[in-house]
Amino acid sequence: GDGLYTVDIESFAAKPVAVPDDEAFRNISKLYQHGGDLFAVCGLDAKRALWRQHAGKWEQLVGFYECDPHSRFWLPVVPLCPCRNC
């Protein structure tokens, strides 16, 4: 992977998005948008984490080790939970 980019739909010009950890954002498996925030599931295997971009700043919300790795359902649910320790 090569990180996260925005693409201008009219010109198809791509620009990299600034991220807090280039290594973590090298492999992005899912992107969600909810309530104006952008959520990204980044990393591989046991080094996955859920990140949120709010007001232009990224914050790691959940490390993969904090969740059941065998559950397919935790990823869409976590962004809807207002607490840090879901």
Side-chain angles (χ1 to χ4, degrees):
D2 195 28
L4 183 61
Y5 287 80
T6 59
V7 177
D8 182 306
I9 300 293
E10 293 179 14
S11 68
F12 295 106
K15 293 190 309 187
V17 173
V19 295
D21 182 344
D22 289 334
E23 188 63 31
F25 280 76
R26 184 173 305 281
N27 295 290
I28 301 168
S29 57
K30 300 220 185 258
L31 289 173
Y32 300 94
Q33 188 171 9
H34 178 73
D37 293 344
L38 181 62
F39 294 85
V41 178
C42 303
L44 293 172
D45 303 322
K47 294 186 179 185
R48 285 188 189 163
L50 175 66
W51 292 79
R52 176 179 70 177
Q53 184 188 50
H54 175 77
K57 294 184 180 181
W58 286 99
E59 171 189 18
Q60 184 177 336
L61 297 179
V62 179
F64 189 69
Y65 57 88
E66 298 176 54
C67 300
D68 178 2
H70 303 291
S71 173
R72 297 181 348 202
F73 304 105
W74 74 272
L75 297 176
V77 173
V78 171
L80 303 178
C81 182
C83 65
R84 185 172 172 85
N85 298 317
C86 299

